[in-house]
Each structure stands twice: as C-alpha cells, then as structure tokens.
Amino acid sequence: MTPGAAPSPVVELDDDRIARHGLRLFLKRDDLVHPDLPGNKWRKLRHNIGPAREHGTLLTFGGAYSNHLRATAAAGDLFGFATIGVVRGEEHLPLNESLAYAERKGMQLAYLDRTTYRRKHEPDVIAALRERWGDFYLLPEGGSNALAVRGCAELGAEAAGFDVVCCPCGTGGTLAGLAAGLPPRARALGFSVLKGGFMDAEVERLQRETYGERRGSWSVEDGFHFGGYARTSPDLDGFIGDFAERHGLVLDRIYTAKMMFGVYTLAGRGAFPEGARVLAVITG
Ligand SMILES: *Cc1c(COP(=O)(O)O)cnc(C)c1O
C-alpha cells in the first residue's frame, strides 16, 4: 500500500450540537492514509524520504511515546533506510508499546538525559551523535522541518471548499504547512496540546524557514491543552466517550480529542461565523 496515493476522505458529521449554531462540520480522515504511517506523520515524512535514502541513515528525536518515532521507523522499513531514534530520558525495560514497535521496524534506539535532550539541536550535542553513529540525515524532533511543512501544505490544497480548517499542534509543523497551502479566504486554526503559549512563534518560525515569510491566514488557540502534553481531565475523557458513541470514532486523547473539544466549545461560544463550513483534520 503506497501511502498518500489519493487525498484522504472527508465526511460530514451529523451532530445537533454543531447544527444548532448554524454550522456544518466535516472531518478529514488523514488517520486512514496508511496503517503504519498515519496522517500528518506521513505528510511530514514524505519529502524527507529522498534525502534519508541518499544518506542511508536518518536520525531523529522524540519522547518515549512519540508517534513520530513510530512512523519514522515504519518509513525506514518501508522505503529502505536505517533509522536511529534518540529518546528523551533513560531507558526503561521492557520497552513500552511505541518503542517496541519502533525497534521491531528496525529503529536503533539511543537515550539522552533530559538536560542534554533540551539542547539536542545544538552543535556539540549533534557532533557527539555523529561521533557515535557516523553520517546521518538529521530530522528535528517531531519531524518538523521545511520539507515537512511543504508536505503539510499539500494537506491545505486538499482542504479547498471550507471556511475554517482546524488541526491539533504539537511542534506546529502541520499548522505551518496547512495554513500556507489553503486557498485564499480560508483560514487555519491550530489547537495547541502544549502549555506555554509558544506555539504561535514556532509556527511562524517554521513558515519563515520554509518560505522566508509568514504565510496564509492562521491563529493558535491556547486554551485547550488541558494542562499540557498527554494531560487529560474527566471532561476530556467524557467527551471522548460521548464522541465515540455518537460517531463511532475514538479520538486520540493527546491530539485530536483536544482539537475536537476546542471546536465544539468554540462553536458553542459563537466563535465561527453563521453558515461556516468547518473542517477538522483527524491527524492520526
Ligand atoms: C504528531 C501529531 C500531531 C502534531 O503535529 P505537529 O506537526 O507536530 O504540530 C498532531 N496529531 C497527531 C495525531 C500526531 O500524531
């Protein structure tokens, strides 16, 4: 199965909590593009595969539960390049399900203590990694670089015909590309799953790295992180259960559930213009 061969499907949600505000809500099912390379991870990796194969080895970074490490390992296996995953913190055995999967797909795992991990993109840390692992193609944490932003711009181009297009934000690469690729007049709305209010600056930095300027019409909602990465709350868990019952789709609690909770909340507050067609990207 070649991932990304066709645009991912769009389905309309029938939900009175949306309809009563005069809105129409659609889901873009990017989670269905490939079983091992779902959603935005595929979009972010696809243009990085050429350079990774040229180098033969790709090295990247992630937390112990990183979807990015999983997807990168799967891409290496599928497209024929070696992968090294540098994990934040110490090794814990047995490996959790994400890291065990990455290892099964051939990824070599290395660990950096939290203090060094924070400086992972600095020259001395990279030099030490090169000493240990030899030549590699370096993909930043979460896979967000200019090639990833360009891959996500293709998502924007697929999202024509909507007024507002929503996505969750971890490193901001998906929003940076989505916003740049949208047709004029549409706007992108990102929901940060991280606390700290830095997402806006990150998205802008990634757009400048890719295009040399800020692109498209976009903003970041900072009010739906539920305390930070991987944090949850009884409200959020209740929302996930209710959504699964109504629509038969289990939202992932780290990313897409926070976005959808945000979309429903904003709809209730009248934050979208009457009659708007809203598209929420199910990124994984
Ligand atoms: C990684 C991931 C994100 C975050 O994407 P960024 O480009 O890092 O902002 C969003 N949703 C899902 C499901 C993910 O796995």
Side-chain angles (χ1 to χ4, degrees):
M1 182 174 175
T2 309
S8 60
V10 172
V11 293
E12 181 161 11
L13 272 195
D14 179 11
D15 197 316
D16 54 324
R17 295 169 297 172
I18 296 294
R20 85 166 73 105
H21 302 291
L23 305 171
R24 292 179 70 186
L25 177 59
F26 301 79
L27 302 183
K28 185 155 176 64
R29 295 293 306 272
D30 253 26
D31 55 318
L32 300 179
V33 296
H34 192 277
D36 295 319
L37 287 172
N40 69 339
K41 296 300 178 282
W42 164 242
R43 294 192 188 271
K44 291 167 74 170
L45 278 165
R46 65 186 302 173
H47 297 299
N48 282 294
I49 285 167
R53 289 174 76 162
E54 268 164 42
H55 283 75
T57 302
L58 179 156
L59 180 143
T60 192
F61 302 90
Y65 295 92
S66 164
N67 288 338
H68 164 63
L69 289 184
R70 283 181 73 113
T72 304
D77 185 49
L78 209 55
F79 294 98
F81 54 88
T83 53
I84 300 161
V86 180
V87 183
R88 179 179 58 234
E90 298 103 62
E91 181 177 34
H92 291 285
L93 294 174
L95 294 176
N96 69 42
E97 201 258 320
S98 293
L99 295 182
Y101 171 94
E103 211 173 60
R104 276 201 307 282
K105 293 286 178 186
M107 180 174 265
Q108 286 183 278
L109 300 174
Y111 296 84
L112 275 187
D113 66 84
R114 279 155 202 279
T115 314
T116 314
Y117 190 89
R118 241 173 271 134
R119 304 195 304 109
K120 61 191 165 302
H121 296 145
E122 291 178 18
D124 62 315
V125 179
I126 304 288
L129 288 169
R130 288 211 191 278
E131 196 135 302
R132 172 159 176 208
W133 297 100
D135 181 42
F136 52 73
Y137 177 63
L138 178 80
L139 191 58
E141 182 177 39
S144 285
N145 61 5
L147 291 175
V149 171
R150 289 189 189 280
C152 292
E154 292 156 14
L155 168 63
E158 283 180 33
F162 298 93
D163 301 297
V164 184
V165 183
C166 303
C167 73
C169 299
T171 61
T174 303
L175 178 61
L178 169 66
L182 281 179
R185 280 191 303 280
R187 73 183 170 91
L189 185 56
F191 293 81
S192 179
V193 307
L194 294 157
K195 190 166 74 170
F198 54 81
M199 194 57 68
D200 204 276
E202 267 307 292
V203 175
E204 179 154 343
R205 181 187 68 74
L206 284 162
Q207 287 197 332
R208 288 191 190 284
E209 180 185 329
T210 310
Y211 305 109
E213 61 182 18
R214 192 180 160 116
R215 283 259 173 113
S217 164
W218 59 268
S219 57
V220 174
E221 275 294 331
D222 267 319
F224 300 99
H225 56 67
F226 290 85
Y229 187 76
R231 296 291 174 85
T232 183
S233 80
D235 268 3
L236 186 64
D237 289 338
F239 177 81
I240 292 169
D242 179 64
F243 193 90
E245 227 162 80
R246 287 175 193 245
H247 302 299
L249 173 65
V250 181
L251 298 167
D252 116 88
R253 63 167 41 69
I254 296 183
Y255 291 106
T256 57
K258 291 181 180 179
M259 165 187 68
M260 289 306 287
F261 190 100
V263 168
Y264 276 71
T265 306
L266 293 181
R269 286 183 199 155
F272 299 112
E274 175 88 27
R277 289 163 60 87
V278 179
L279 180 69
V281 182
I282 304 299
T283 38

